[in-house]
């Protein structure tokens, strides 16, 4: 689970001699984190500092515009397969992550696929959370950086060590409920036992999000702040809208999947129908009694009287007696 969550926040190995990913950006766009919140604007891009305590990299603070994933590019291919909720079919797709982030996200979320793949909508919802957090073109609309640290290899940049993601209550609840009954086949336990850091029976939507975003599982802190509509005034004051993603219940078919979750992972009536009783026609009755029972009873009574009749016939005296006569013989007399 730790490897999976680390991947979801885009932990990639960064070589010191790699080219600066921002060399083609205008210096004016390299603003401090969260200076501007507007559509098509990032708060992070690429990685530029190592969090040695958590064995992962911190994302670079970047408040510039989202980047085009060109048609036919490796970035777009991964987005289409791994994060279909971010793919703009027939249109240009803009993202706030680079190829290495996407490759690592793809490689290490295979763990999530093994855990949650039996319930496609749960897996889709899980990936939607981390795909948006990592790559959404509108990062600054629902997320802000709350803490920065120096980036040693890039003196002119900062690295993000903590973020706050504003998560509407409805999709948070959908995410939780879609995964609440998913079973781990290897252990016959619930996936939430691992994803929530506590027994699934005591897990809640906020507990799940808090555990996934905790620093023990990711190189930077992710604080998920839930809200109800309309968005709080502090979100609107920052020109933010919060995250209002479309997520799916376990009995719904997520985009790109041809099936719903199994009955085991989603025990709802429409997926686990109870056997229907065999319909009964108008009952066969005789004189108000069940017809079959009446016939069997009459048959037994009839057999009883027939048996008595034959018994009496066979035991009835014949009317003849045998008497001894002189000479030692017998004679039958009426």
């Amino acid at each position: 689970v730790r490897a999976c969550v680390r991947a979801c926040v885009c932990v990639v190995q960064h070589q010191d001699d790699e080219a600066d990913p921002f060399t083609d950006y205008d210096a004016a766009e390299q603003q401090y984190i969260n200076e501007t919140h507007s559509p098509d604007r990032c708060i992070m891009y690429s990685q530029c500092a190592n969090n040695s305590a958590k064995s992962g990299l911190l994302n670079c603070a970047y408040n510039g515009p989202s980047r085009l994933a060109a048609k036919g590019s490796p970035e777009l291919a991964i987005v289409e397969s791994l994060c279909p909720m971010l793919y703009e079919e027939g249109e240009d797709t803009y993202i706030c992550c680079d190829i290495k982030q996407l490759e690592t996200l793809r490689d290490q979320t295979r763990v999530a696929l093994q855990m949650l793949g039996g319930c496609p909508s749960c897996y889709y919802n899980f990936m939607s959370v981390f795909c948006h957090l990592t790559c959404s073109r509108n990062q600054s609309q629902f997320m802000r950086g709350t803490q920065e640290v120096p980036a040693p290899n890039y003196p002119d940049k900062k690295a993000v060590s903590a973020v706050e993601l504003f998560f509407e209550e409805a999709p948070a609840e959908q995410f939780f409920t879609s995964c609440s009954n998913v079973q781990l086949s290897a252990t016959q336990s619930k996936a939430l036992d691992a994803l929530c850091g506590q027994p699934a029976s005591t897990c809640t939507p906020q507990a799940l999000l808090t555990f996934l975003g905790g620093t023990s599982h990711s190189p930077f802190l992710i604080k998920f702040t839930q809200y109800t509509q309309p968005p709080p005034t502090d979100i609107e004051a920052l020109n933010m809208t919060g995250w209002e993603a479309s997520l799916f219940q376990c009995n719904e078919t997520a985009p790109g999947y041809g099936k719903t979750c199994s009955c085991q992972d989603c025990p709802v009536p429409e997926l686990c129908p109870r056997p229907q009783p065999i319909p009964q026609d108008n009952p066969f009755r005789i004189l108000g009694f069940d017809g079959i029972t009446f016939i069997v009873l009459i048959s037994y009574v009839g057999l009883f009287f027939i048996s008595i009749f034959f018994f009496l016939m066979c035991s009835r005296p014949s009317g003849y007696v045998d008497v001894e006569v002189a000479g030692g013989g017998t004679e039958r007399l009426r």
Side-chain angles (χ1 to χ4, degrees):
V1 175
R2 292 189 178 186
C4 175
V5 176
R6 286 192 182 118
C8 294
V9 292
C10 304
V11 179
V12 300
Q13 293 301 320
H14 181 83
Q15 302 298 325
D16 290 345
D17 58 353
E18 282 186 340
D20 185 340
F22 291 93
T23 52
D24 58 342
Y25 282 47
D26 187 278
E29 295 293 341
Q30 297 182 29
Q31 305 167 22
Y32 283 113
I33 197 163
N34 293 334
E35 185 171 331
T36 302
H37 293 276
S38 62
D40 285 314
R41 187 167 288 271
C42 311
I43 67 165
M44 303 181 293
Y45 186 87
S46 195
Q47 296 81 25
C48 57
N50 184 42
N51 185 342
S52 58
K54 304 301 177 184
S55 301
L57 285 180
L58 300 178
N59 294 332
C60 299
Y62 170 67
N63 196 210
S66 56
R67 301 281 288 175
L68 174 65
K71 293 181 180 179
S73 66
E75 293 93 334
L76 188 61
I78 297 177
V79 168
E80 182 179 4
S81 61
L82 186 67
C83 301
M85 66 290 299
L86 302 181
Y87 177 68
E88 301 285 349
E89 186 174 1
E91 300 180 10
D92 292 335
T93 297
Y94 287 83
I95 53 178
C96 287
C97 57
D98 63 11
I99 183 63
K100 291 192 174 182
Q101 291 172 276
L102 285 166
E103 288 174 344
T104 303
L105 186 64
R106 177 191 60 192
D107 292 342
Q108 296 199 15
T109 51
R110 290 193 178 106
V111 178
L113 179 60
Q114 294 172 2
M115 292 176 60
L116 310 175
C119 187
S121 55
C122 168
Y123 175 69
Y124 178 95
N125 293 342
F126 180 91
M127 291 303 300
S128 185
V129 172
F130 289 102
C131 283
H132 278 88
L133 185 151
T134 304
C135 294
S136 172
R137 66 188 294 175
N138 296 312
Q139 273 182 348
S140 71
Q141 290 282 272
F142 58 84
M143 188 165 57
R144 64 181 178 182
T146 55
Q147 186 177 346
E148 297 175 343
V149 295
N153 295 328
Y154 304 100
D156 59 333
K157 296 179 178 64
K158 297 284 187 179
V160 182
S161 57
V163 299
E164 182 176 19
L165 191 154
F166 294 96
F167 205 128
E168 189 184 356
E169 264 187 15
E173 181 71 26
Q174 285 180 308
F175 173 35
F176 173 77
T177 56
S178 69
C179 298
S180 60
N181 290 292
V182 175
Q183 303 288 321
L184 297 177
S185 57
T187 61
Q188 295 303 307
S189 60
K190 290 189 175 182
L192 283 186
D193 290 335
L195 292 176
C196 202
Q198 58 184 280
S201 59
T202 62
C203 187
T204 64
Q206 186 59 56
L208 172 63
L209 294 172
T210 299
F211 186 75
L212 291 176
T215 53
S216 61
H217 296 89
S218 62
F220 61 88
L221 176 66
I222 308 167
K223 180 184 178 182
F224 292 94
T225 299
Q226 294 190 60
Y227 68 92
T228 56
Q229 289 289 1
T233 55
D234 57 337
I235 297 179
E236 294 183 329
L238 291 169
N239 196 31
M240 300 172 69
T241 60
W243 192 45
E244 303 169 359
S246 296
L247 300 184
F248 298 87
Q249 297 288 1
C250 64
N251 60 338
E252 297 176 320
T253 303
Y257 296 91
K259 62 178 183 178
T260 61
C261 301
S262 65
C263 171
Q264 180 185 14
D265 294 332
C266 184
V268 296
E270 54 264 45
L271 296 183
C272 306
R274 295 181 179 179
Q276 297 296 318
I278 299 175
Q280 297 283 342
D281 295 329
N282 292 332
F284 171 50
R285 307 187 75 81
I286 298 176
L287 300 177
F289 296 97
D290 178 75
I292 300 299
T293 303
F294 184 85
I295 290 175
V296 170
L297 180 62
I298 292 299
S299 298
Y300 275 115
V301 171
L303 288 173
F304 173 77
F305 283 109
I306 290 173
S307 299
I308 295 296
F309 174 77
F310 278 106
F311 174 77
L312 293 176
M313 290 296 294
C314 293
S315 60
R316 178 180 172 181
S318 62
Y320 293 90
V321 295
D322 293 326
V323 297
E324 293 185 0
V325 294
T330 60
E331 181 177 355
R332 174 165 291 188
L333 300 176
R334 182 179 291 273

